[in-house]
Amino acid sequence: MGAQTRFRYVFLVYLSIASIYVAVVNSQFDWHTRDAVDEVQAQVEQINEENCHIKHIEDLHLPYDTVSHKPDIKDININPVFPNRTALLHLHNMALNRAFFWSYALQSRFIRPSLNVTYDPGMMYYFLSSVADVASNPKLNASAVYFSPNMSYTSSYRSFFNKTLPLFAPRAFRADDYNDPIHLERYSTLNTLDVRDLGAIPSYSKSQNYTSDFYRINDWYKLWLPDRVDKRQDTKTTYQVRIRYANNTNETFTFHGPPGADEVPGPVLWTRPYFDCGRSNKWVIGAVSPIADIFPRHTGFRHIEYPTYTAVSVMEMDLERIDINQCPRGPGNDGPNHFNGTDRCKETTECEPIHGYGLRRGGYQCRCKPGYRLPNIVRRPYLGEIIERATDEQYKNAFQCEKIGWIQKLPHNWQKAEPWLRAQYMEKYHYFNDQKNSTPAGANLNSGTKNIASMLNYIKGVNPRTCKKIKLQKPDDLILHGDVGFGAESQFENEAKMAVRLANFYSAYLQIVDHREVFTGNRIADRPLSEDQVMAETLALVLGNTRIWGAGTFWDRRQFPNRTLFAPYAYKEQLNTRKFKMEDLARLNKTQEVYTNKPNFKTLKSRFSTNFDDLEKYYLKIRVRSEEYAQHTQKYEQFPISYRAAEMRHGWWSPPYFDCGGFVEKWVVTYSAPFFGWDSLKTRLQFKGVVSVTMDLEQLDINQCPTNFHTPNAFKDTNKCDRKTSYCVPILGRGFEMGGYKCECIQGYEYPFEDSITYYDGQLVEAEFQNLMEDKKTRYDMLKCRLAGASTIQSAFVTVFALILTSFYLF
């Protein structure tokens, strides 16, 4: 055999060995069967910007149930919202907010009929409104208003009164500015927005007409438009607003809006996930709400006018940001869910979703079923991401729970605790000292006490009747320490974002729009903000979010056109209502009542009195229609254009307080965001005012679990879990009540009772502890985890036989 032949032989042998090794290594991860997750991911990956125009329409859409647990307005105030659905809930609320605003703004001309010519918002109002929706919400990627053909009135052109645009669709979406020449940093800032009118298209083009079937991705349009009803009169839901102006005159305005929360199908509908072909070129999902108007307008014959849906408000979000739920169908996951049952949990475990994984596998953990426990070497439930990555051999030999052999039952009859045991617990939880320090006036709230029962009893004992006496004697007792409201920044984040969104819009409008600007052709500049527009924006905050009880826009002195002070404040007096109230707080002129002396206004004004460098800068690339009936768009006269606005970190959270004698007589928390505009010379920014939202404190979940020593939480480490055998885990949705947690067994311990759960519920623990403190019958001392290892109560046959033989041998 020659050297060349020998080399070929050796090479082929090594190549075969390497091929076998690679095949074995790769095949060990191929034990998964193909399921719904693989199918969706394959469809997502095969569509891109280059081929989406030639793909079949069904290839551009995913199944409707790809996104499960969509927020429903009928369920928001009943069940808690999952942490991985708060962004979708905000998308829902923003679509509803914009629908209410445009419905009110388009119909508000009936408040002052003599000003019909000037009352329709201009085009820049539409553009900047969509810009603010996206700019203030990093997880919201696009916002648009799509009008039906010939149903959009505008005040942006001369001699255009009582005329309509063929199509009008202002849309803003977040652009990738990684290689944008205006950014030298070469990283994506998320602050560059592409804004354009999608209604300025050639009249013969069907593929660009968003009302046509050839548009292919316009499910959001077909959900509500065109509005087809048999009987035109009184077919749209009406809402009522009682307005009190600064001169103390009153008015009740009734307007038509989207469907109510009690109606079917509700005010917000969801699209199928779709590929946004030719626009953002991403997989997105949209929330859609209808905009109502009176049509036709300006006829002089009110009997022929009818309410109808003229447009839709559409908010879109990236699909890849939304978590999927792979757990099997069951309570809390009853469908529709395209991915249910695709988890890899074994027969001794049960699936529990966790958030933060997006559109990929592994967003769950496998907990032990009742009657089972984790092995002593395992500390926490099995993570789905680890199971999905495991080899076939690892999966077969691991990720199991061990059976609990000796299962106890809770006794039906129990007795009072022994005096020594009760004294031990009272000393452990400082109950004696707390009783001495607590007072009916609520001084324990400000004394650093840990007697949570006394604290909550005082808070719940204050009401609109009793607060007046406290306000006269000790007004400080109506203001709680800020650590009592711990968690408000995260739990009320969506509500705060809506205030930031409105402040962002005011900043953009005041800095970009110059009503004295002159354009070529028939286009005219937008007019200054009107009172009704500001009132509509403020009212939409309350109508668009059920957790907001009050909202206000407070303008600084002489900053609103033709007004010294202007402060519309909208509020509601009960949940699930269609009647709202609004007052101009400029009518309150006493020193202690005027809004410019309130803590939120004074704090933000002093903070931004001179330095504005910390504000966020946003860049806009706006394309407007070239003329009234234009078939193409052109760049806005200033391209690109920028403005500065506040983010949520620039706002101010109030400590919890009781709004005694106010509009929302509850324990509340308020968030305020500032907005800015140019001074009279347009040389520097100037503080213009504040937008605030008010939320009910009782909707806040308190956290009684241990946290870091520096965490400002008044209820920190007040849980009653047994510290030696269990640890505390918060439970969502319990509100401002004791027991919003569960006691999970720590490593090496097990839940010993025959039950459908594997933990001690915090409400049960708190109730039994209260019985112990009041010297009543209690079972608190039994609510502990047991040392793991009792596999059975039956003796092993081999052990007994060995003992018998040993005894015979010895005796």
Side-chain angles (χ1 to χ4, degrees):
M1 181 183 296
Q4 187 175 5
T5 305
R6 189 183 302 109
F7 175 77
R8 289 180 179 177
Y9 176 77
V10 173
F11 175 76
L12 290 175
V13 170
Y14 277 109
L15 183 61
S16 301
I17 295 175
S19 301
I20 295 173
Y21 176 78
V22 171
V24 171
V25 171
N26 288 338
S27 62
Q28 67 177 333
F29 295 100
D30 293 338
W31 58 274
H32 294 300
T33 58
R34 186 175 178 85
D35 55 21
V37 180
D38 298 310
E39 295 172 359
V40 169
Q41 288 181 340
Q43 184 175 349
V44 168
E45 292 172 358
Q46 72 177 356
I47 306 297
N48 53 50
E49 182 179 358
E50 284 74 22
N51 63 15
C52 69
H53 298 279
I54 59 175
K55 289 289 185 178
H56 189 271
I57 185 173
E58 290 302 319
D59 293 335
L60 301 180
H61 293 82
L62 297 176
Y64 181 81
D65 57 357
T66 301
V67 177
S68 62
H69 302 85
K70 299 183 183 73
D72 187 353
I73 194 171
K74 297 177 176 61
D75 194 52
I76 290 174
N77 292 312
I78 300 175
N79 295 319
V81 178
F82 296 138
N84 61 357
R85 288 297 180 265
T86 53
L88 271 181
L89 175 61
H90 187 58
L91 199 74
H92 170 283
N93 291 340
M94 284 299 303
L96 189 59
N97 173 287
R98 293 294 84 200
F100 273 117
F101 166 75
W102 291 114
S103 297
Y104 184 101
L106 295 176
Q107 300 172 54
S108 62
R109 66 188 183 282
F110 293 112
I111 299 178
R112 300 177 179 83
S114 61
L115 299 180
N116 274 341
V117 180
T118 63
Y119 250 57
D120 287 315
M123 285 198 303
M124 287 301 293
Y125 198 111
Y126 283 96
F127 287 137
L128 297 181
S129 175
S130 298
V131 164
D133 298 339
V134 182
S136 60
N137 300 288
K139 295 182 180 179
L140 195 156
N141 277 6
S143 171
V145 177
Y146 298 92
F147 277 90
S148 290
N150 295 305
M151 283 196 172
S152 171
Y153 295 90
T154 180
S155 60
S156 295
Y157 295 98
R158 295 185 182 90
S159 304
F160 211 75
F161 175 71
N162 211 19
K163 294 182 181 180
T164 57
L165 297 173
L167 291 174
F168 183 50
R171 183 175 187 261
F173 66 91
R174 200 183 310 277
D176 185 5
D177 56 0
Y178 178 80
N179 288 319
D180 201 300
I182 62 177
H183 293 295
L184 300 179
E185 299 89 346
R186 289 297 180 267
Y187 65 87
S188 296
T189 65
L190 302 180
N191 290 343
T192 299
L193 292 96
D194 190 300
V195 192
R196 60 186 64 198
D197 181 3
L198 300 182
I201 59 172
S203 57
Y204 54 83
S205 176
K206 294 184 178 180
S207 62
Q208 299 182 56
N209 187 337
Y210 57 82
T211 68
S212 169
D213 291 336
F214 293 92
Y215 202 72
R216 303 206 301 166
I217 57 171
N218 58 353
D219 281 3
W220 28 262
Y221 182 85
K222 298 175 183 177
L223 288 175
W224 295 104
L225 300 176
D227 187 19
R228 299 186 182 94
V229 291
D230 296 332
K231 298 180 180 179
R232 282 293 181 183
Q233 299 297 330
D234 299 328
T235 59
K236 299 298 177 281
T237 309
T238 57
Y239 299 87
Q240 187 182 95
V241 185
R242 292 185 59 185
I243 305 172
R244 187 177 184 180
Y245 296 101
N247 58 2
N248 282 321
T249 59
N250 299 325
E251 181 176 15
T252 299
F253 177 58
T254 302
F255 69 100
H256 301 275
D262 57 330
E263 298 183 75
V264 178
V268 178
L269 297 179
W270 298 89
T271 68
R272 292 181 295 170
Y274 62 95
F275 189 80
D276 196 25
C277 185
R279 307 196 302 182
S280 61
N281 294 309
K282 297 180 179 179
W283 285 96
V284 298
I285 183 173
V288 190
S289 187
I291 298 171
D293 193 8
I294 304 297
F295 203 83
R297 285 197 189 179
H298 316 301
T299 62
F301 304 97
R302 296 296 299 273
H303 63 282
I304 67 171
E305 297 176 344
Y306 57 89
T308 185
Y309 293 145
T310 60
V312 288
S313 171
V314 182
M315 303 289 164
E316 295 166 333
M317 178 180 176
D318 273 359
L319 182 65
E320 64 180 11
R321 294 178 176 267
I322 303 174
D323 293 346
I324 61 175
N325 189 345
Q326 295 183 247
C327 295
R329 189 183 300 274
N333 186 27
D334 51 358
N337 182 4
H338 194 68
F339 304 106
N340 56 20
T342 59
D343 64 292
R344 309 293 183 187
C345 293
K346 291 193 170 182
E347 64 277 0
T348 60
T349 61
E350 56 187 3
C351 179
E352 180 181 81
I354 54 180
H355 63 278
Y357 280 77
L359 189 65
R360 62 186 180 96
R361 291 183 177 275
Y364 61 91
Q365 61 183 8
C366 299
R367 306 182 58 84
C368 293
K369 287 184 176 180
Y372 294 87
R373 63 172 175 84
L374 289 170
N376 290 342
I377 60 173
V378 180
R379 186 178 182 186
R380 291 290 187 268
Y382 299 113
L383 194 63
E385 185 177 14
I386 303 299
I387 298 177
E388 297 281 357
R389 295 180 178 180
T391 64
D392 187 20
E393 182 181 359
Q394 289 173 330
Y395 181 74
K396 290 179 179 178
N397 298 323
F399 311 118
Q400 287 277 16
C401 289
E402 299 178 357
K403 187 173 180 58
I404 298 174
W406 179 35
I407 300 178
Q408 299 176 235
K409 289 189 177 181
L410 281 171
H412 294 285
N413 297 318
W414 54 90
Q415 300 175 347
K416 294 182 180 180
E418 296 291 337
W420 63 268
L421 182 62
R422 179 170 177 267
Q424 184 180 27
Y425 280 117
M426 295 182 77
E427 181 180 0
K428 177 180 179 181
Y429 291 101
H430 311 289
Y431 189 76
F432 283 130
N433 294 333
D434 292 345
Q435 285 294 90
K436 294 178 182 178
N437 290 337
S438 61
T439 63
N444 59 328
L445 291 171
N446 300 323
S447 63
T449 180
K450 289 292 184 180
N451 190 345
I452 181 175
S454 178
M455 295 169 65
L456 293 180
N457 287 337
Y458 167 73
I459 291 174
K460 295 183 180 300
V462 180
N463 54 53
R465 180 178 54 83
T466 60
C467 75
K468 295 179 175 60
K469 182 178 179 181
I470 301 175
K471 189 175 183 179
L472 291 175
Q473 296 178 352
K474 298 188 67 176
D476 289 343
D477 283 349
L478 296 179
I479 303 176
L480 309 180
H481 279 312
D483 56 359
V484 177
F486 172 77
E489 293 87 346
S490 58
Q491 297 181 41
F492 293 139
E493 181 181 9
N494 284 349
E495 289 69 37
K497 283 181 178 178
M498 300 193 81
V500 173
R501 181 261 156 209
L502 183 51
N504 190 294
F505 166 73
Y506 287 144
S507 297
Y509 197 90
L510 295 175
Q511 296 175 43
I512 293 177
V513 175
D514 184 358
H515 64 277
R516 294 170 294 186
E517 193 169 7
V518 178
F519 301 106
T520 59
N522 291 328
R523 185 158 63 96
I524 58 178
D526 281 28
R527 295 173 176 84
L529 292 171
S530 69
E531 292 184 15
D532 287 331
Q533 289 170 353
V534 176
M535 293 167 67
E537 291 280 8
T538 306
L539 180 65
L541 293 176
V542 183
L543 274 73
N545 192 317
T546 59
R547 300 184 73 186
I548 296 179
W549 281 80
T553 300
F554 306 96
W555 291 79
D556 200 4
R557 190 175 299 273
R558 288 187 291 274
Q559 296 303 322
F560 190 80
N562 303 320
R563 291 289 300 272
T564 303
L565 293 175
F566 183 47
Y569 185 85
Y571 62 100
K572 60 188 175 187
E573 297 179 330
Q574 63 182 24
L575 280 174
N576 305 321
T577 182
R578 296 181 186 175
K579 296 182 179 181
F580 301 85
K581 294 184 178 181
M582 184 159 45
E583 296 203 17
D584 186 352
L585 299 188
R587 66 180 182 81
L588 304 177
N589 52 16
K590 294 182 180 179
T591 303
Q592 66 273 17
E593 294 179 346
V594 65
Y595 66 83
T596 55
N597 291 333
K598 298 297 181 182
N600 62 334
F601 195 93
K602 293 175 64 177
T603 300
L604 291 174
K605 184 175 181 179
S606 62
R607 183 184 300 175
F608 294 100
S609 58
T610 56
N611 193 348
F612 306 95
D613 293 341
D614 192 42
L615 297 178
E616 198 70 22
K617 192 172 185 179
Y618 300 92
Y619 293 89
L620 311 181
K621 297 180 177 180
I622 304 177
R623 298 178 183 273
V624 299
R625 58 179 62 217
S626 57
E627 55 186 13
E628 300 96 310
Y629 301 106
Q631 298 186 1
H632 65 277
T633 59
Q634 66 179 16
K635 293 181 178 178
Y636 185 65
E637 278 68 15
Q638 302 176 55
F639 188 92
I641 193 171
S642 64
Y643 70 95
R644 289 186 176 273
E647 293 185 308
M648 197 164 70
R649 60 188 174 89
H650 297 112
W652 182 80
W653 288 93
S654 75
Y657 65 96
F658 193 89
D659 191 16
C660 188
F663 302 108
V664 184
E665 292 193 297
K666 298 173 176 286
W667 287 102
V668 296
V669 176
T670 297
Y671 175 80
S672 303
F675 57 91
F676 311 90
W678 295 112
D679 60 6
S680 57
L681 300 178
K682 298 190 68 173
T683 57
R684 61 183 298 273
L685 287 179
Q686 186 177 14
F687 173 84
K688 294 292 185 179
V690 164
V691 177
S692 70
V693 290
T694 300
M695 287 71 67
D696 185 3
L697 184 66
E698 292 191 5
Q699 294 180 314
L700 179 70
D701 292 334
I702 62 177
N703 188 345
Q704 294 181 246
C705 295
T707 51
N708 295 326
F709 71 93
H710 53 77
T711 302
N713 180 7
F715 305 106
K716 175 175 55 181
D717 203 17
T718 59
N719 68 89
K720 305 306 185 299
C721 295
D722 181 64
R723 309 301 171 89
K724 294 182 180 179
T725 63
S726 61
Y727 63 95
C728 175
V729 178
I731 295 179
L732 299 178
R734 297 287 175 88
F736 213 72
E737 299 280 353
M738 292 187 298
Y741 59 90
K742 57 183 177 180
C743 302
E744 295 271 9
C745 297
I746 63 175
Q747 183 179 4
Y749 288 82
E750 61 190 17
Y751 184 79
F753 297 105
E754 184 180 21
D755 206 342
S756 59
I757 56 177
T758 58
Y759 57 85
Y760 297 104
D761 191 288
Q763 290 182 337
L764 173 64
V765 175
E766 292 285 349
E768 295 299 332
F769 178 81
Q770 196 65 26
N771 290 338
L772 177 69
M773 295 298 103
E774 297 174 2
D775 201 17
K776 298 179 181 178
K777 292 182 179 180
T778 182
R779 50 182 170 173
Y780 176 73
D781 197 48
M782 298 188 63
L783 305 181
K784 299 178 181 179
C785 293
R786 183 180 64 194
L787 186 66
S791 60
T792 179
I793 62 173
Q794 299 178 352
S795 301
F797 173 77
V798 176
T799 304
V800 174
F801 185 72
L803 290 174
I804 294 174
L805 290 179
T806 304
S807 62
F808 274 112
Y809 177 76
L810 293 176
F811 298 100

